Amino acid sequence: MRAVSHQNFGLLWGLISITLLQLTHWVPHHLIATSLYFLLVLIGSAIPDLDQPNSYLGRRLKIISIPLSTIFGHRRFTHSILFMILMYWIGRWTVDHTDIQFFYIKGLLIGMGSHIAGDFLTKSGVPLLFPLTKKRFRFLVTFKTGSIKEHQVTTVIFIINIFFILSFVNLI
């Protein structure tokens, strides 16, 4: 998926997750905290493509992107379950050793998960079980990255996001 598609998909996942978290009353009630959460979801939605030096985040963090690309290549380690587990444990460690709340780590993780799920919808798929196998998994119905179908899916997700946002501010 393209970066804009990943951001739209990530925003949708963030909106769904914060809706579910509100049901458990496990969400800050401050606009700044909620805004920071969504910023982290959007950043998280770009993180798996750090293994691609020409990606949105890769161009800005070449010091990380180039070594990741050299060692693993694109859509391998950073698109796997192992990567998500590692990021979870880094997040847990961060929470245990700083004043950062796990709520914010969830934002990053949800964004990263949305990225991998988005690439799961593409013809290239994702190597969920890397490094155990290089097999790529994908959904039954897929589209090519950058295709008209991707644009259509992104447009539908954008409309759903607008609906969610408007419902949050009670405009519909």
Side-chain angles (χ1 to χ4, degrees):
M1 289 180 105
R2 297 170 303 129
V4 69
S5 299
H6 280 303
Q7 290 172 334
N8 269 291
F9 205 51
L11 181 59
L12 177 61
W13 276 45
L15 290 164
I16 291 169
S17 68
I18 207 159
T19 300
L20 295 173
L21 289 172
Q22 283 179 338
L23 298 174
T24 63
H25 304 288
W26 210 49
V27 178
H29 298 289
H30 304 290
L31 180 60
I32 292 173
T34 304
S35 299
L36 180 56
Y37 171 82
F38 280 107
L39 176 63
L40 291 168
V41 168
L42 293 175
I43 291 169
S45 74
I47 287 175
D49 275 347
L50 263 174
D51 64 3
Q52 176 67 6
N54 292 327
S55 69
Y56 177 80
L57 209 52
R59 287 190 308 268
R60 286 150 182 80
L61 297 171
K62 287 199 181 281
I63 194 165
I64 298 170
S65 183
I66 291 172
L68 274 175
S69 177
T70 302
I71 295 167
F72 298 110
H74 181 50
R75 272 200 199 177
R76 291 205 176 106
F77 174 64
T78 60
H79 288 69
S80 70
I81 293 170
L82 180 61
F83 176 73
M84 289 298 296
I85 291 169
L86 177 65
M87 293 297 101
Y88 171 83
W89 285 111
I90 290 171
R92 282 273 23 133
W93 184 91
T94 302
V95 167
D96 292 344
H97 293 86
T98 67
D99 291 332
I100 295 173
Q101 297 174 14
F102 195 67
F103 171 75
Y104 297 113
I105 302 300
K106 280 183 183 180
L108 279 171
L109 292 170
I110 286 166
M112 288 184 268
S114 76
H115 180 109
I116 294 168
D119 283 346
F120 181 77
L121 299 173
T122 67
K123 291 196 181 296
S124 298
V126 290
L128 291 175
L129 301 177
F130 182 88
L132 299 176
T133 178
K134 293 181 181 178
K135 179 180 175 10
R136 290 177 177 259
F137 298 85
R138 62 179 174 247
F139 195 63
L140 297 172
V141 179
T142 61
F143 52 80
K144 186 177 176 189
T145 299
S147 68
I148 291 172
K149 285 184 183 177
E150 179 182 351
H151 179 70
Q152 291 168 336
V153 168
T154 301
T155 301
V156 169
I157 290 171
F158 179 78
I159 292 167
I160 293 169
N161 286 342
I162 296 297
F163 174 77
F164 258 111
I165 292 167
L166 292 177
S167 68
F168 274 124
V169 294
N170 297 318
L171 292 178
I172 57 172

